[in-house]
Amino acid sequence: MAKTRSRPLPQELLKTESRSAAHVPDIEAKHVLDVYDSIAPHWHGTRYKAWPRVQAFIDGLPRHSVVADIGCGNGKNMPACESVGFAIGSDFSVKLLEICRERKFEVFAADCTAVPLRTGAFDAALSIAVLHHLSTRERRIAAIAEAKRVLCIGGRMLFYAWAKEQTSGRSGHIFESADVFVPWHLKMEGEVDLIAIKDTLPAAGSVDEEKKALVFDRYCHVYEEGELPSLFEAVEGLRIVECYYDTGNWCVIAERTS
């Protein structure tokens, strides 16, 4: 597999105003939300079912479980959830949610740090490939705390986030620092006026005329070993059940205890 080399993020771009964790910083608005709204149909074509260990977690839930898929994207995990019970999905990309609605899933728009769901109403929560798009430690902890809030006592959550260590990953990425821009290439077919398109692109987009492609820089924070569970340890009322590495991701299963 050809390796995709990310670019280290200029640190000045991570400077944020002193606001609540529920405030979406500019780096996430421009280099996550705008990017996924721009690439949603193309991204959808590359993500079509739950990964095997995510599927295994879902299959292990009690029958008739109610599952919150927080950061559901195009809904690729929701059929698996519906096989054991009922799923509600949320995401902050409206374009991805439009794909979910076409697939008849129950979804709504929300930031993962503040979802309008009833406290203690869910048996399980998923956060798959979401946490690596959050740009501050405070927002990462807030996202975990929010997933905990919606769980009933004894309910479990599964989080996946990109690992800096990609020795056995499938992504083909090389990460040279923890905070990076990861390019997404959208190849244009047929006769296209790339110069005209360039003027319509969001801040994260550019044109690669040689490859006849649009390039979108996605913000990611990739996790070193031990970093992800340390975020869970900062949230009271959670017990870490399992930490593991799976195909380029650090993963945590945690249970709400209080």
Side-chain angles (χ1 to χ4, degrees), residues 65-205:
S65 288
V66 182
V67 183
D69 189 354
I70 302 174
C72 63
N74 66 336
K76 74 169 187 173
N77 298 306
M78 296 187 74
C81 296
E82 291 178 346
S83 72
V84 300
F86 180 76
I88 295 177
S90 63
D91 204 283
F92 75 166
S93 169
V94 172
K95 294 300 184 181
L96 287 173
L97 292 176
E98 289 174 356
I99 292 170
C100 289
R101 293 307 299 268
E102 290 172 2
R103 302 176 70 187
K104 309 302 182 184
F105 297 142
E106 292 289 337
V107 294
F108 60 89
D111 182 69
C112 63
T113 65
V115 292
L117 295 173
R118 184 178 299 175
T119 298
F122 290 80
D123 302 293
L126 300 177
S127 176
I128 308 301
V130 175
L131 213 62
H132 55 242
H133 288 313
L134 303 187
S135 59
T136 68
R137 177 177 171 84
E138 290 75 21
R139 278 180 55 76
R140 296 162 198 154
I141 292 173
I144 295 169
E146 187 70 345
K148 174 225 167 183
R149 181 188 64 79
V150 305
L151 289 179
C152 61
I153 303 299
R156 292 192 171 188
M157 63 177 75
L158 173 62
F159 273 65
Y160 267 56
W162 252 347
K164 188 176 181 184
E165 305 87 347
Q166 289 288 312
T167 53
S168 62
R170 295 176 180 172
S171 69
H173 291 295
I174 298 174
F175 298 125
E176 297 181 352
S177 64
D179 292 289
V180 294
F181 280 144
V182 179
W184 182 277
H185 293 82
L186 181 57
K187 187 170 178 59
M188 308 302 292
E189 302 294 341
E191 294 297 323
V192 178
D193 187 345
L194 292 175
I195 302 302
I197 291 176
K198 183 177 181 179
D199 294 334
T200 69
L201 293 176

Side-chain angles (χ1 to χ4, degrees), residues 46-67:
T46 68
R47 307 291 193 278
Y48 52 91
K49 67 177 181 178
W51 295 328
R53 292 198 67 173
V54 176
Q55 180 77 54
F57 172 84
I58 295 168
D59 289 344
L61 297 174
R63 284 181 56 81
H64 310 300
S65 288
V66 182
V67 183

